[in-house]
Amino acid sequence: MVAGICPECEVSCVGEASVRCTRCHNDFHAACVGAAADQIRWTCAPCAVNAARCASCQVYQPVEETIKCAAPGCARVLCTKCKPSNEDWTCGAHACGACGRVLDDRDGDAVRCVRCPRGFCRGCRPASAAPVSTNAFRCVAHVREVRAPFDVGMIRRRRRGLRGAAVVVDDFAGGDEFAGAEFSSDDEAPGDSARADLAASRQSGFSEEGAVAVAPPAAARLP
């Protein structure tokens, strides 16, 4: 969610082959999403099915179950579990978490976490923060944190009102996961590499409820 930082690998893509999503306006390494760097109109896989990652728990949710930051141009969202009681919410990336000064990207003094909605003046950035680029860092709490991958099957199950177990059930085997998704042009449809990555992520053993990896169930042993 920081300008010039690829949301997939959380590394700067400035000066590298990259593509920009026409919906969330995030920049991605072309290699990270299996897209051609010269694509003019392209949509990332979550936006293609109207999903967004919660800025707090880091789990992808259907956009209709999220609340968006009230700051103009900010794409950060919170899910229904993490959102505050009031409907108006402005994330912490727009004011320094130390001195409270409003952050303005035009003066080049704002630095933000690549994962959570925290921002600081350059001089107020905590010493424990790991630098990622000139305008981004990673909070120490996220250094070893593993985020749950995007799972389009889970998004669709949530839309159907299902709340299954954490183990992902592949109910799209043999079919196209993006069947029925609407794209404004053929260029926006996720490529074959993106589709393959999503299929692999469903078998990764991640918990649906959080950003912590869980081990796959052990095979039963015969007596």
Side-chain angles (χ1 to χ4, degrees), residues 187-201:
D187 290 337
E188 292 193 9
D192 293 338
S193 298
R195 294 170 191 262
D197 289 343
L198 293 178
S201 73

Side-chain angles (χ1 to χ4, degrees), residues 3 11-12 14 18 38 40 50 81 92 118 123 138 143 146 148 162 168 184 191 196 203 207 212 218:
V11 174
S12 174
V14 176
S18 61
D38 58 351
I40 299 176
N50 292 320
K81 293 181 179 179
R118 298 185 68 194
R138 183 179 289 107
V143 171
V146 180
L162 301 179
V168 175
S184 60
Q203 303 173 3
S207 166
V212 180

Side-chain angles (χ1 to χ4, degrees), residues 47-74:
C47 286
V49 292
N50 292 320
R53 190 191 291 274
C54 174
S56 180
C57 68
Q58 298 294 310
V59 176
Y60 280 103
Q61 307 286 350
V63 292
E64 61 267 25
E65 294 186 11
T66 64
I67 178 175
K68 191 175 181 181
C69 174
C74 183

Side-chain angles (χ1 to χ4, degrees), residues 128-212:
S128 60
V132 173
S133 69
T134 56
N135 65 332
F137 64 92
R138 183 179 289 107
C139 291
V140 65
H142 307 315
V143 171
R144 295 187 178 182
E145 182 182 68
V146 180
R147 297 188 302 177
F150 174 60
D151 177 14
V152 68
M154 187 270 284
I155 296 297
R156 289 183 171 178
R157 287 193 295 276
R158 290 184 71 89
R159 285 204 169 103
R160 291 199 302 265
L162 301 179
R163 296 297 184 270
V167 177
V168 175
V169 178
D170 187 359
D171 51 2
F172 292 94
D176 186 350
E177 294 183 355
F178 291 94
E182 296 182 0
F183 305 98
S184 60
S185 70
D186 291 339
D187 290 337
E188 292 193 9
D192 293 338
S193 298
R195 294 170 191 262
D197 289 343
L198 293 178
S201 73
R202 298 199 309 276
Q203 303 173 3
S204 61
F206 276 82
S207 166
E208 174 185 331
E209 298 301 328
V212 180

Side-chain angles (χ1 to χ4, degrees), residues 13 17-21 26-30 33 35-39 42:
C13 54
S18 61
V19 290
R20 174 169 292 183
C21 177
N26 285 322
D27 296 313
F28 296 77
H29 286 113
V33 293
D38 58 351
Q39 283 186 259
W42 174 82

